[in-house]
Amino acid sequence: NCESTELTAAEQMAQSCGLESLTIKRDDLIPVLCGGTKIRKLNYLLAQPLYADAEEWHATGSIGSGNLVTLASIASHLGKKLHVHCFWVPLTPGIVENLSQLTADHVTISYYSSRVSLFLRCPWLFVGQTKRAVVPPGASCAEGIIGVTRAGIELSDELRAGLCPSPDRVYVPLGSGGTAVGLALGLALGGTETSVCAVAVTEHCLSSRRRINSLLRSTQTRLAALGVHLDGQVPAVPISIERGFVGRKYAVSTAAARDACEHVKEESFDLDVVYSAKAFA
């Protein structure tokens, strides 16, 4: 209603933060399986012969990993078996809900007390070559990141269509790094001048600048092999890393994240206290 003077919840949030505008891209509404950004990554990664030809996949993550939930949904759809290797984190309602979705006949779960225990007991999940189909943590590798690169191009198309104002910054949580890297590449390919602020939700050693740069290089190399070049443009929009919102450690909620969850309730959707709420904060 153009004549209405009542502010929307998003406009109220933007006003309270001193912003001209605030736009949230709703990948949770992707109408495929369980939705979410992970669908974009896994769509490309699981099409690779190693995964397409395998009868069983292996994957790692916390007990409430959204990546594992998405993998379980895809495995059911494709008639695959999934063996997940989970390390324990503090329980929240969202984590309990995600874990409950892994209790299916085609999913086998192995539990580990911590990430360190998981790595020491099963190093083959992280390093070296294996004949088993192992999905990288967060599906963050060149093939998976191509899916998020497409999301960056999609966002650029939406900006040109006037669906939302051009952003000064795009905020995303920084876990395994694939979302930040893919958007930085895709926005550059789409010709959008902006920057990506990656809000770390994992410890520094797991979200380093070195890892970001490595993922950028490997994805650029893969895109070039597929004939996708930037022809003199910047290879990716700038990525800054914000480390002030991790809290005590990974998967532990913070007061700022819980406040962020309350802020968006009027928009009728939920934030995840482990990832998106810390980014929003």
Side-chain angles (χ1 to χ4, degrees):
N1 183 354
C2 295
E3 297 179 357
S4 174
T5 58
E6 183 178 351
L7 294 177
T8 67
E11 288 170 335
Q12 290 175 349
M13 285 189 285
Q15 191 176 75
S16 68
C17 296
L19 302 173
E20 290 184 11
S21 66
L22 173 65
T23 302
I24 301 173
K25 187 162 173 59
R26 296 290 304 273
D27 269 10
D28 59 311
L29 298 181
I30 291 176
V32 178
L33 300 176
C34 56
T37 302
K38 296 299 183 185
I39 284 286
R40 297 182 183 273
K41 288 184 177 181
L42 294 168
N43 184 43
Y44 282 80
L45 177 62
L46 298 178
Q48 303 306 306
L50 174 64
Y51 304 99
D53 297 339
E55 294 182 0
E56 182 181 50
W57 302 328
H58 290 261
T60 65
S62 73
I63 56 172
S65 167
N67 188 53
L68 296 183
V69 170
T70 306
L71 265 174
S73 179
I74 295 173
S76 176
H77 181 70
L78 297 179
K80 305 284 188 180
K81 294 181 180 179
L82 176 65
H83 191 140
V84 300
H85 303 261
C86 295
F87 58 89
W88 286 96
V89 294
L91 294 178
T92 66
I95 286 174
V96 172
E97 180 182 351
N98 280 359
L99 182 57
S100 71
Q101 295 184 59
L102 297 179
T103 56
D105 291 339
H106 69 292
V107 180
T108 304
I109 308 177
S110 295
Y111 293 102
Y112 306 82
S113 59
S114 66
R115 283 174 293 184
V116 173
S117 174
L118 171 55
F119 178 81
L120 292 177
R121 290 174 60 184
C122 301
W124 57 271
L125 288 166
F126 303 92
V127 295
Q129 296 296 318
T130 174
K131 293 182 180 180
R132 284 174 282 198
V134 179
V135 176
S140 289
C141 59
E143 287 76 12
I145 291 172
I146 288 174
V148 189
T149 302
R150 288 287 300 268
I153 297 171
E154 177 185 304
L155 179 55
S156 294
D157 290 342
E158 291 168 339
L159 293 171
R160 277 193 293 273
L163 298 183
C164 61
S166 184
D168 295 321
R169 287 174 298 281
V170 177
Y171 288 85
V172 294
L174 172 57
S176 57
T179 300
V181 168
L183 284 177
L185 289 167
L187 289 167
L189 281 166
T192 297
E193 295 184 5
T194 185
S195 63
V196 172
C197 180
V199 183
V201 300
T202 59
E203 295 83 354
H204 190 286
C205 62
L206 300 174
S207 57
S208 66
R209 173 65 64 180
R210 181 178 180 180
R211 174 170 173 77
I212 291 291
N213 291 341
S214 176
L215 289 173
L216 273 169
R217 288 192 299 270
S218 63
T219 308
Q220 288 167 338
T221 299
R222 183 66 179 134
L223 287 170
L226 294 170
V228 180
H229 301 277
L230 282 162
D231 298 326
Q233 300 178 47
V234 293
V237 303
I239 301 175
S240 62
I241 300 177
E242 168 58 60
R243 300 195 180 278
F245 293 84
V246 177
R248 188 159 57 86
K249 62 179 180 178
Y250 172 72
V252 175
S253 68
T254 63
R258 292 190 292 272
D259 287 345
C261 290
E262 292 299 318
H263 271 295
V264 302
K265 277 189 174 179
E266 293 183 47
E267 280 286 284
S268 300
F269 73 98
D270 297 321
L271 292 176
D272 158 34
V273 295
V274 177
Y275 285 89
S276 55
K278 291 183 179 181
F280 193 91

